[in-house]
Amino acid sequence: MIKGTCKDRVISITDPKMRHGHKTSSRKVDGFKEHTITCGENGQLVAGVEVTAANAADKEPVPEMLEEQEKEGRRPEELLGDSAYFDPKWRKRRGRKGRQ
């Protein structure tokens, strides 16, 4: 017998991409996550936004978002985010390309 629910179970009849997610083991969320890249002095300008399902890993959209910034001629001097956005394998690959 399997306990729990299916990982990609559809939770909304009006939005089939909506999913259950967990911020912590006790705090659950339904819907989506927003990932934002800002630039300018004190991060006042929004340079990129990506929306993922609530059950997607936070680090999922980061490589694509950074590649998009580089196509636009912007290269971040630093990246700030909690540990959920950090992927050591990805960092190592970017380091080999001469970027961090």
Side-chain angles (χ1 to χ4, degrees), residues 9-94:
R9 179 174 69 125
V10 176
I11 64 171
S12 170
I13 60 171
T14 58
D15 191 344
K17 293 182 180 178
M18 186 181 285
R19 296 291 185 264
H20 291 304
H22 298 273
K23 188 70 179 161
T24 65
S25 60
S26 62
R27 184 168 173 243
K28 297 169 178 60
V29 294
D30 290 334
F32 301 92
K33 293 180 193 176
E34 175 189 337
H35 310 273
T36 307
I37 291 181
T38 60
C39 63
E41 191 172 319
N42 299 320
Q44 297 168 326
L45 302 172
V46 175
V49 176
E50 186 71 35
V51 177
T52 60
N55 65 346
D58 287 345
K59 64 185 177 184
E60 215 171 83
V62 174
E64 185 178 320
M65 291 178 78
L66 290 175
E67 284 177 24
E68 186 65 33
Q69 293 302 304
E70 289 179 359
K71 286 179 189 174
E72 297 293 326
R74 292 184 292 269
R75 185 175 180 273
E77 293 177 17
E78 66 180 344
L79 298 173
L80 303 174
D82 66 20
S83 61
Y85 283 93
F86 182 71
D87 182 352
K89 293 176 189 172
W90 174 77
R91 167 83 187 237
K92 195 174 195 177
R93 285 192 303 270
R94 274 187 77 77

Side-chain angles (χ1 to χ4, degrees), residues 1-6:
M1 177 190 285
I2 299 173
K3 292 185 177 187
T5 59
C6 177

